[in-house]
Every structure is written in C-alpha cells, then in structure tokens.
Amino acid sequence: QKYRKLLPWTPIEGWTPGNLGTIVTEGPKGMKISMIICDDGNYPEIWRDCAMKGAELIIRPQGYMYPAKEQQVQVSKTMAWCNQVYVAVANASGFDGVYTYF
C-alpha cells in the first residue's frame, strides 16, 4: 500500500499534495492499520476517514518541535477517543541545528 501526505506544510514542504486519499491495510493478526503523516493529523476529517474505512490502529509519524508538544499530544489523544481507534505516534527527537524536537 502507498500513502502520500495529503496536506504538505507550506511553504516548508514544497511538494505536490498526495492524491491517494487514506489507506487502510491489514496488519498482524488481521488488525486494520492506517497512517496519517505529520500535519495531516491536525485535521479531524482525515482521522474520521481512516476510522470510517475500518482502521483500528492509526500510526502517526511526525516532526513537531517545541513549543507544540502539549498540543500534539492532546490532538492524538483526542482523535483516538473521538474515533474509537488506537494511536501510535513517533515524533522526531533531538536538535537538528535549527529546531529542538520532543
């Protein structure tokens, strides 16, 4: 399966938005898994689309920096609860010379 980020963070991410929509695939033991990349996770409609397609677990890789830590933790928790799904989030960490990640 292939997923392309639907909403690039402009002007930093200058590529074309994805045109494949959300994807749900079967994972271990038949669990239905979907992915939402970074800023796409700030839009409730994208979470709802994954859930309505049957996702049980939504994986969210992201690269948020301080001071957005509390906001991003709350967004993922809230979207998990609202859509009755499990969420696994992996954020960038450390310092890249410009930003400090949590």
Side-chain angles (χ1 to χ4, degrees), residues 10-87:
T10 55
I12 306 302
E13 299 169 342
W15 55 78
T16 304
N19 59 356
L20 302 175
T22 58
I23 305 294
V24 177
T25 190
E26 191 170 310
K29 299 184 179 181
M31 178 176 254
K32 302 293 184 188
I33 300 173
S34 191
M35 185 184 321
I36 295 175
I37 299 174
C38 203
D39 193 48
D40 285 359
N42 289 329
Y43 299 89
E45 300 85 353
I46 297 174
W47 291 85
R48 180 55 50 106
D49 192 51
C50 293
M52 295 300 289
K53 289 180 178 178
E56 299 167 289
L57 169 65
I58 298 175
I59 299 169
R60 185 180 182 204
Q62 61 186 30
Y64 284 100
M65 62 291 292
Y66 288 105
K69 179 180 181 180
E70 298 306 318
Q71 171 208 13
Q72 290 306 315
V73 169
Q74 189 62 49
V75 166
S76 291
K77 286 180 177 181
T78 301
M79 292 299 103
W81 183 82
C82 287
N83 292 290
Q84 296 297 290
V85 297
Y86 294 101
V87 176

